[in-house]
Amino acid sequence: MTVRAGREFLAIPGPTTMPDEVLQAMHRPALDIYSEQMVNLTDSLLRDLSRLFATRGKSYIYIANGHGAWEATLSNVLSRGDKVLVLESGRFAINWGAAASAMGAEVEVLKGDWRRAIRPEAVEARLRADKGHSIKAILAVQVDTASGACNDIAAIGKTIKATGHPALFMVDTVASLGCMPFEMDQWGIDVAMSGSQKGLMTPPGLGFVAANERAREAHKKANLRTPYWDWTEREGTEHYRKYAGTAPVHLLFALRQAIDMLFAEGLPAAFERHRLLGEAVRRAVSVWAEGQALGFNIPEAAERSNTVTTVLVGSDHDPVKLLRYCKEKCGVVLGVGIGELQGKAFRIAHMGHVNAPMILGTLGVIEVALNALDIPHGRGGVEAAIDWLGESVKP
Ligand SMILES: *Cc1c(COP(=O)(O)O)cnc(C)c1O
């Protein structure tokens, strides 16, 4: 017996649900890649990506996922042997650092915690100790999609500035761009990167990078540059070189549509929608946690992300069974625990093209699963989410 006919709902942190308009935008012939239409499409997207990152710097589009965009950021500004400081808050910055290490950088991890956001004081202390300025770049994620931590990038940027340390500040916004405030220039970020398939509601396959003047200065001396990722190669007037070859035409159609929808909603409204729906999820999880079997991975409420919530599952219960029930019986796909949380957690994504019925439906299905699998939980999680939205979303 199942109740899963109809559209399966992806509540995983990427790829996320794509709006029908985005899917439809791709259902058309390719463009002549040398046409004026193509050039205009690229120009409009590069301009709007810089607007999303909130920078006067330059943006670049790669045919790549987030891992590719990581490589793009590193190869353009670093040289072999350069020291990179990775700010740990879960899994993703560590993996970005691992790429840097494999590419020939010397990587130091500023020890963090899978259950906490980055502490700016720790960053400050490490940078002040680096009197010779051997650290060339600092890597951090805005949201760690594994732990569910949301880092205060503005505070970290301010701290770096206060120390007067010249290292480039590089930030991963794959799980946050378009969903929560991000101010590349104002927050003192030199390089930012993102991907298409999470908050930006577009198929996987596009990676984005933005770089400011300081980063482009470092780029001139970087020796890890390779032809595909190279900013200089992409800055010529010839359109073909902006993608180092054929443009990913259909993904660009999709992205154009997605960004149009985001701007039509208004970025502040989109951020507020994510805050409201993220809090709805948290209200439900808080109630479920009363049963002592489930809990937040991030204990500090202010450090929880508005795009993904990581829920710990006590050792008496198997999160994989819960996920399987939700998917196979009810058609809702939740995220598994990854990294240190493998087998110990599940993740609820609430980023991108999400609305109240999607989130309440997802929470409702989780509650069905908790009941069906006899996992102890406080009663009334969905009701708490409903109450929150009713109080917060005024007529
Ligand atoms: C998903 C994700 C990535 C990796 O992106 P891929 O497209 O899977 O390579 C990197 N960083 C963060 C924060 C992510 O959430």
Side-chain angles (χ1 to χ4, degrees), residues 86-92 94 109-119 122 141 144 146-151 297-299 303 312 340-341:
V86 171
L87 310 183
E88 185 184 24
S89 61
R91 175 190 175 114
F92 284 89
I94 299 288
V109 175
L110 182 68
K111 197 70 196 116
D113 192 312
W114 266 76
R115 307 202 60 190
R116 291 260 349 230
I118 298 161
R119 275 156 275 199
V141 298
D144 187 278
S147 69
C150 179
N151 292 308
N297 180 52
I298 304 295
E303 298 180 352
L312 295 179
E340 283 187 17
L341 301 180

Side-chain angles (χ1 to χ4, degrees), residues 13-14 64-68 70 92-93 141-146 172-176 193 195-198 204-206 347 351:
N65 58 17
H67 284 70
W70 278 344
F92 284 89
V141 298
Q142 185 172 25
V143 167
D144 187 278
T145 324
D172 171 329
T173 70
V174 177
S176 50
M193 54 73 64
S196 51
Q197 80 276 22
K198 298 190 185 177
L206 295 178
R347 295 176 298 154
M351 64 175 86

Side-chain angles (χ1 to χ4, degrees), residues 50-174:
S50 291
R51 185 173 155 199
L52 282 171
F53 283 116
T55 183
R56 296 153 70 94
K58 274 203 158 80
S59 288
Y60 305 88
I61 299 172
Y62 295 94
I63 304 163
N65 58 17
H67 284 70
W70 278 344
E71 201 159 320
T73 61
L74 300 166
S75 67
N76 271 293
V77 298
L78 295 178
S79 292
R80 210 162 303 283
D82 275 357
K83 185 159 184 170
V84 171
L85 182 69
V86 171
L87 310 183
E88 185 184 24
S89 61
R91 175 190 175 114
F92 284 89
I94 299 288
N95 289 0
W96 193 4
S101 174
M103 290 165 72
E106 187 197 325
V107 174
E108 175 183 329
V109 175
L110 182 68
K111 197 70 196 116
D113 192 312
W114 266 76
R115 307 202 60 190
R116 291 260 349 230
I118 298 161
R119 275 156 275 199
E121 319 82 76
V123 180
E124 175 167 10
R126 181 63 192 90
L127 292 182
R128 290 206 189 278
D130 183 35
K131 301 228 186 306
H133 293 166
S134 67
I135 297 167
K136 301 299 177 209
I138 301 165
L139 311 184
V141 298
Q142 185 172 25
V143 167
D144 187 278
T145 324
S147 69
C150 179
N151 292 308
D152 188 345
I153 297 297
I156 298 165
K158 201 186 247 181
T159 299
I160 295 170
K161 279 277 168 306
T163 64
H165 197 293
L168 294 175
F169 187 26
M170 321 228 297
V171 179
D172 171 329
T173 70
V174 177

Side-chain angles (χ1 to χ4, degrees), residues 276-295:
L276 291 166
L277 295 173
E279 182 60 20
V281 171
R282 293 187 287 267
R283 293 287 168 116
V285 174
S286 298
V287 171
W288 296 335
E290 290 163 12
Q292 309 289 322
L294 304 178

